[in-house]
């Protein structure tokens, strides 16, 4: 018996917020929720979607057998996948040194290198690498020599996939999921239409060949915050993003935060840090939040006070017709955003085609193949569920023994 979307929506919201509290506050002995079988399945979906199953395996004390089994399985898959990723990074590093290519390993790879996560703690969907524009083609050739081929190119990065790789359709993480590589020449985000570029404050000057680290903890934090801001703007935030920021923040001194202001005013950094402060009490210095309050535009500052993880992520079942409009800093930006929503640019149309072609979970879904006008009309007449959310919910409902009717 398929549950109603109303039940799924409420269950996802409630389980997501409960899991966030369980992980962020790390309170041993927290009482196990009195959830129904459906809610436990939706908790699996939320944990998988937010990338926190392996961490919950370590920190959650809930001893429900099916729940523990799921978390242990997920941690095992992530640990084995981490070994593959670590080996691939070593091969890329060796090739880059041999070819005189300076590369920077970004986000998850950098957090692991700092020791903030152990093998098996944090899922990594892919490997992100930063390369100077002058070396981008040479880096692509290096990836080709390692068995990779170009999959598609977007304004943000070039995506490479292993040749003859087949997707794995499973709930959450799986050891056999292909490891894609995203090659960046810039660190930037569109919020929602204006581009924020922090490449200059993130890139290491005079880097030697091979894979190297961010120049400072503050540079890494700047990137994590901008990445989280882009995901908040697009309603695709994950709890693991907040966990990354909270863990790194505990290592930082007041001086370590200064690179955040090394470039243009970081008006975009307040919403992600407000969320971190909401769930991870004491992780963010009050002085940092106070300074960012002054940098943030009034509308976005007001938005940041009331946002929750479940409203800004795939745990919110309904698609938002105008995600990120509150990030517009002027009437002109807002009008440009609305115009792009009504009449997508050629670049947006191509991005959609690339996603439909490369994301197996989107294929055979009627909504995503509708024309733009039909989708707009549907948005105006009824709530539309997110395809990524429905996919992970279906996988959770199929997981293990079937649900009773």
């Amino acid at each position: 018996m398929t549950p109603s979307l109303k039940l799924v929506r409420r269950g996802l919201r409630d389980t997501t917020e409960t899991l966030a509290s369980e992980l962020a506050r790390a309170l041993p002995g927290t009482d196990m929720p009195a959830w129904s079988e459906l809610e436990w399945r939706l908790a699996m979906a939320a944990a998988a979607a937010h990338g926190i199953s392996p961490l919950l395996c370590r920190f959650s004390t809930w001893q429900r057998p099916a729940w523990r089994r799921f978390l242990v399985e997920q941690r095992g898959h992530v640990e084995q996948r981490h070994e593959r990723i670590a080996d691939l990074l070593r091969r890329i590093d060796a090739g880059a040194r041999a070819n005189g290519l300076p590369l920077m390993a970004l986000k998850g790879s950098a957090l692991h290198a700092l020791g903030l996560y152990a093998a098996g703690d944090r899922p990594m969907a892919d490997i992100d690498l930063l390369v100077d524009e002058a070396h981008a083609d040479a880096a692509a050739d290096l990836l080709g020599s390692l068995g990779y081929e170009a999959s598609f190119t977007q304004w943000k990065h070039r995506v490479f996939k292993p040749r003859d790789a087949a997707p794995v359709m499973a709930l959450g993480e799986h050891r056999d999921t292909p490891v894609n590589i995203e090659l960046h020449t810039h660190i930037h985000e569109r919020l929602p239409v204006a581009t924020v570029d922090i490449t200059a404050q993130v890139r290491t000057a005079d880097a030697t060949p091979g894979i190297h680290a961010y120049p400072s903890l503050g540079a890494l934090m700047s990137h994590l915050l901008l990445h989280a801001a882009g995901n908040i703007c697009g309603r695709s935030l994950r709890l693991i993003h907040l966990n990354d920021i909270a863990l790194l923040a505990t290592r930082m001194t007041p001086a370590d935060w200064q690179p955040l202001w090394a470039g243009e005013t970081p008006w975009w950094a307040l919403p992600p840090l407000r969320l971190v402060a909401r769930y991870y009490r004491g992780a963010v210095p009050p002085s940092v939040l106070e300074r960012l309050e002054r940098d943030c535009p009034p509308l976005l500052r007001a938005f940041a006070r009331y946002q929750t993880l479940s409203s800004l992520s795939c745990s919110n079942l309904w698609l938002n017709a105008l995600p990120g409009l509150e990030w517009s800093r002027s009437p002109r930006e807002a009008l440009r955003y609305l115009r792009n929503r009504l009449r997508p640019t050629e670049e947006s149309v191509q991005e959609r085609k690339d996603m439909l072609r490369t994301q197996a979970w989107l294929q055979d879904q009627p909504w995503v193949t509708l024309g733009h006008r039909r989708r707009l009309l549907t948005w105006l007449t009824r709530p539309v569920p997110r395809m990524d959310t429905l996919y992970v919910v279906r996988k959770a409902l199929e997981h293990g023994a079937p649900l009773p009717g």
Side-chain angles (χ1 to χ4, degrees), residues 140-151:
D141 291 341
L142 169 60
L143 298 182
S145 71
L146 296 174
Y148 276 76
E149 63 183 9
S151 179

Side-chain angles (χ1 to χ4, degrees), residues 159-216:
V159 178
F160 295 81
K161 65 175 185 178
R163 293 190 189 96
D164 304 319
V168 176
M169 308 298 283
L171 173 62
E173 308 301 320
H174 194 282
R175 64 176 69 86
D176 297 327
T177 301
V179 179
N180 289 344
I181 298 174
E182 294 182 358
L183 196 61
H184 302 252
T185 56
H186 292 82
I187 303 299
H188 52 191
E189 294 284 348
R190 289 177 179 167
L191 303 172
V193 291
T195 300
V196 174
D197 192 316
I198 61 168
T199 310
Q201 64 204 77
V202 168
R203 194 189 301 277
T204 300
D206 302 322
T208 56
I211 292 180
H212 52 88
Y214 288 80
S216 66

Side-chain angles (χ1 to χ4, degrees), residues 225 257 260-261 266-270 273 284 287-297 301:
L225 290 173
W257 288 91
L260 189 57
W261 287 271
W267 59 271
W268 38 266
L270 180 66
L273 277 177
V284 184
S287 58
V288 172
L289 291 173
E290 290 168 8
R291 186 174 178 184
L292 289 173
E293 287 272 356
R294 298 192 295 269
D295 297 333
C296 191
R301 185 166 63 239

Side-chain angles (χ1 to χ4, degrees), residues 42-293:
L42 293 176
M44 290 181 184
H50 285 276
I52 57 169
S53 304
L55 285 173
L56 287 172
C57 185
R58 283 184 57 189
F59 296 119
S60 177
T61 59
W62 305 338
Q63 294 302 315
R64 190 172 191 271
W67 174 249
R68 290 304 309 172
R69 196 159 51 243
F70 166 71
L71 297 183
V72 170
E73 287 172 357
Q74 285 289 282
R75 185 171 180 84
H77 281 293
V78 172
E79 191 166 4
Q80 292 182 52
R81 188 170 160 79
H82 176 82
E83 293 175 4
R84 290 172 54 205
I85 291 173
D87 177 66
L88 180 55
L89 281 169
R90 285 190 289 268
R91 291 161 58 205
I92 294 172
D93 180 53
R97 291 175 186 275
N99 290 278
L101 288 175
L103 299 172
M104 182 186 292
L106 304 173
K107 296 184 302 186
S109 300
L111 293 166
H112 274 100
L114 284 172
L116 291 177
Y117 290 108
D121 278 352
R122 186 190 188 279
M124 285 176 56
D126 44 45
I127 293 173
D128 290 87
L129 299 172
L130 178 65
V131 63
D132 188 272
E133 215 153 0
H135 298 137
D137 289 339
D141 291 341
L142 169 60
L143 298 182
S145 71
L146 296 174
Y148 276 76
E149 63 183 9
S151 179
F152 60 92
T153 300
Q154 292 185 350
W155 69 275
K156 195 174 178 181
H157 51 232
R158 297 163 68 180
V159 178
F160 295 81
K161 65 175 185 178
R163 293 190 189 96
D164 304 319
V168 176
M169 308 298 283
L171 173 62
E173 308 301 320
H174 194 282
R175 64 176 69 86
D176 297 327
T177 301
V179 179
N180 289 344
I181 298 174
E182 294 182 358
L183 196 61
H184 302 252
T185 56
H186 292 82
I187 303 299
H188 52 191
E189 294 284 348
R190 289 177 179 167
L191 303 172
V193 291
T195 300
V196 174
D197 192 316
I198 61 168
T199 310
Q201 64 204 77
V202 168
R203 194 189 301 277
T204 300
D206 302 322
T208 56
I211 292 180
H212 52 88
Y214 288 80
S216 66
L217 295 181
L220 173 55
M221 177 60 81
S222 297
H223 188 190
L224 295 181
L225 290 173
L226 182 60
H227 180 67
N231 282 292
I232 292 172
C233 190
R235 303 299 193 266
S236 56
L237 186 69
R238 304 176 80 199
L239 180 51
I240 193 64
H241 297 150
L242 302 185
N243 201 77
D244 293 343
I245 294 167
L247 281 180
L248 183 61
T250 60
R251 287 227 181 157
M252 295 174 66
T253 66
D256 288 330
W257 288 91
Q258 291 309 308
L260 189 57
W261 287 271
E264 295 183 7
T265 302
W267 59 271
W268 38 266
L270 180 66
L273 277 177
R274 271 276 173 229
L275 268 175
V276 172
R278 181 188 187 104
Y279 293 98
Y280 296 81
R281 304 291 172 80
V284 184
S287 58
V288 172
L289 291 173
E290 290 168 8
R291 186 174 178 184
L292 289 173
E293 287 272 356

Side-chain angles (χ1 to χ4, degrees), residues 8 11-20 23 35 38-54 56 67 70-71 74 171-173 237-240 309-310 313-316 388-389 392-397:
V8 170
L12 278 175
R13 181 195 62 212
D14 294 346
T15 56
T16 295
E17 294 299 325
T18 301
L19 292 177
L23 178 64
W35 284 335
L38 172 61
E39 288 170 318
W40 279 107
R41 296 296 182 92
L42 293 176
M44 290 181 184
H50 285 276
I52 57 169
S53 304
L56 287 172
W67 174 249
F70 166 71
L71 297 183
Q74 285 289 282
L171 173 62
E173 308 301 320
L237 186 69
R238 304 176 80 199
L239 180 51
I240 193 64
L309 175 65
S310 54
S313 66
C314 69
S315 292
N316 186 354
D388 53 348
T389 304
V392 74
V393 166
R394 288 192 186 105
K395 288 297 179 184
L397 296 180

